[in-house]
Amino acid sequence: MENWVEIQTAYQVAKLGTVSAAAQALGVHRVTVNRHVETLESRLGTKLFMRHGRGYVLTEQGKDFLSVVSRADDLLNDFAGRARMQNAELSGELILTTTPALSHMLMRPIVSFRAQHPGVRITVLNQYDLLKLEYGEAHIALHVDMVKPDNPDYVVSLFKNAQLGLHAHDSYIQRMGMPESVEDFKHHDFIRNLERFADNEFHRWLDENVPADRFVVHCEHPRIALEAVTAGVGIGFLPNYFAKNSGQIQRIKAVQRSWDLPVWLVTHVDLHRTEKVQSMLRVIREEYDGFLGFGSPDSSHRMEDV
């Protein structure tokens, strides 16, 4: 700890690879960076870096140093994030995260929560990936994934099953007609996801029933697929509640089956029981008990009437 400043400086050089980059990151002069590195190497009695014309290369001892200090940095960030959140019971900031397609689900809970706790500021982040709750990146995640998050430090519960079905916009149906059977799919245009939810049961079903040359648009993210269907580009999977509420999107008559896409409520174990987190979790559950288009946590693949 006596050489904490020198350790921080050497860590930046190890991460960034050059003295100039480390100096810029730390807001100090290059000479200061060189002096700190030399002081630390002298104190440790070993060389952490090999100097060359374009920067620094880690020695074997330097690689070990980087590994040790990286773990220390992670632990300190973990502590800082938990300290910030634990010190802000029912005031300060509450960070919520979910996918863009589900962010509207947080609006009613936010209104109810703010009415009860006006001293809390709400931040809503849109992320497909689960943020690092242990670093304080979010307090509560409304996370969509076929697989339950398995981080042992997270408290995870199945909130709802978002029910998906095949849908098309009125503009597409006016242009191409409504397929009356799966056999008709060979005459229609379809939207497909390239990643995230591409390797799951409903997309495998699509691959088995739609000719490959009928996928006219491949989308990088589910949000783009949603926008493509809404624009009338082709037929694709949408949450049933979205279609029912839009007024301009119809279920494909040839396929009345729905598929479940799990929505998980995720918190960090150290924050799960805090009053602020519990209050918001309670409001989210109350607002969406029996929400249109969502199944109960134990729902399974089903046939639905329209």
Side-chain angles (χ1 to χ4, degrees), residues 237-293:
F237 280 107
L238 291 183
N240 292 346
Y241 73 86
F242 183 90
K244 291 176 181 177
N245 292 339
S246 74
Q248 295 181 300
I249 293 178
Q250 298 185 39
R251 288 284 295 274
I252 298 303
K253 295 177 180 179
V255 183
Q256 293 304 306
R257 177 181 178 180
S258 289
W259 287 261
D260 286 345
L261 184 60
V263 181
W264 309 96
L265 274 174
V266 188
T267 59
H268 191 273
V269 64
D270 291 337
L271 303 170
H272 181 71
R273 291 297 175 189
T274 60
E275 187 177 353
K276 186 162 61 175
V277 168
Q278 281 296 307
S279 295
M280 179 54 86
L281 290 174
R282 183 166 52 252
V283 170
I284 291 173
R285 292 189 179 101
E286 289 172 353
E287 288 289 345
Y288 289 99
D289 185 22
F291 180 69
L292 178 64

Side-chain angles (χ1 to χ4, degrees), residues 7-19 22 37 48-49 56-58 62-63 65-67 69-70:
I7 290 171
Q8 288 179 300
T9 301
Y11 180 47
Q12 291 299 321
V13 175
K15 283 200 308 179
L16 302 176
T18 66
V19 170
V37 170
L48 301 176
F49 305 95
Y56 281 17
V57 175
L58 288 168
K63 293 176 182 177
F65 166 85
L66 178 60
S67 174
V69 180
S70 294

Side-chain angles (χ1 to χ4, degrees), residues 113-138:
F113 181 87
R114 287 273 304 145
Q116 300 171 36
H117 309 294
V120 179
R121 302 186 314 275
I122 307 294
T123 296
V124 180
L125 304 176
N126 281 156
Q127 296 282 340
Y128 283 105
D129 294 323
L130 185 59
L131 294 178
K132 295 181 178 179
L133 306 186
E134 64 271 27
Y135 292 160
E137 292 182 351

Side-chain angles (χ1 to χ4, degrees), residues 193-224:
N193 239 326
L194 285 175
E195 62 175 16
R196 190 67 186 172
F197 303 123
D199 185 23
N200 54 47
E201 185 177 352
F202 52 89
H203 272 301
R204 287 196 294 270
W205 183 92
L206 206 60
D207 288 340
E208 292 170 359
N209 290 278
V210 176
D213 62 353
R214 300 311 306 180
F215 291 110
V216 298
V217 173
H218 291 77
C219 301
E220 185 179 6
H221 288 294
R223 182 71 186 187
I224 303 174

Side-chain angles (χ1 to χ4, degrees), residues 33-224:
V33 173
N34 282 321
R35 186 176 69 251
H36 285 176
V37 170
E38 291 171 1
T39 299
L40 183 62
E41 288 181 333
S42 176
R43 179 65 183 270
L44 295 174
T46 188
K47 287 290 185 182
L48 301 176
F49 305 95
M50 295 291 291
R51 282 75 169 173
H52 62 82
R54 291 179 296 176
Y56 281 17
V57 175
L58 288 168
T59 63
E60 288 302 315
Q61 291 87 352
K63 293 176 182 177
D64 194 19
F65 166 85
L66 178 60
S67 174
V68 170
V69 180
S70 294
R71 292 197 298 272
D73 188 54
D74 287 343
L75 290 171
L76 287 170
N77 285 331
D78 182 12
F79 167 76
R82 288 186 284 112
R84 283 196 303 270
M85 290 187 284
Q86 288 170 338
N87 289 334
E89 283 295 321
L90 291 180
S91 62
E93 187 177 35
L94 179 64
I95 305 173
L96 311 175
T97 177
T98 190
T99 65
L102 293 183
S103 58
H104 71 283
M105 287 188 61
L106 294 173
M107 299 304 116
R108 278 168 46 186
I110 287 172
V111 171
S112 297
F113 181 87
R114 287 273 304 145
Q116 300 171 36
H117 309 294
V120 179
R121 302 186 314 275
I122 307 294
T123 296
V124 180
L125 304 176
N126 281 156
Q127 296 282 340
Y128 283 105
D129 294 323
L130 185 59
L131 294 178
K132 295 181 178 179
L133 306 186
E134 64 271 27
Y135 292 160
E137 292 182 351
H139 294 77
I140 300 173
L142 198 62
H143 181 62
V144 178
D145 206 325
M146 297 300 295
V147 180
K148 180 179 179 180
D150 60 358
N151 188 313
D153 292 328
Y154 291 174
V155 178
V156 183
S157 60
L158 181 58
F159 172 53
K160 296 286 183 182
N161 282 306
Q163 295 167 7
L164 304 181
L166 276 178
H167 296 83
H169 192 268
D170 285 345
S171 61
Y172 174 85
I173 295 171
Q174 291 169 8
R175 188 177 76 252
M176 301 289 291
M178 171 70 79
E180 298 297 333
S181 68
V182 173
E183 281 294 314
D184 290 342
F185 284 179
K186 61 187 177 183
H187 304 300
H188 284 270
D189 298 334
F190 286 82
I191 313 300
R192 198 188 192 288
N193 239 326
L194 285 175
E195 62 175 16
R196 190 67 186 172
F197 303 123
D199 185 23
N200 54 47
E201 185 177 352
F202 52 89
H203 272 301
R204 287 196 294 270
W205 183 92
L206 206 60
D207 288 340
E208 292 170 359
N209 290 278
V210 176
D213 62 353
R214 300 311 306 180
F215 291 110
V216 298
V217 173
H218 291 77
C219 301
E220 185 179 6
H221 288 294
R223 182 71 186 187
I224 303 174

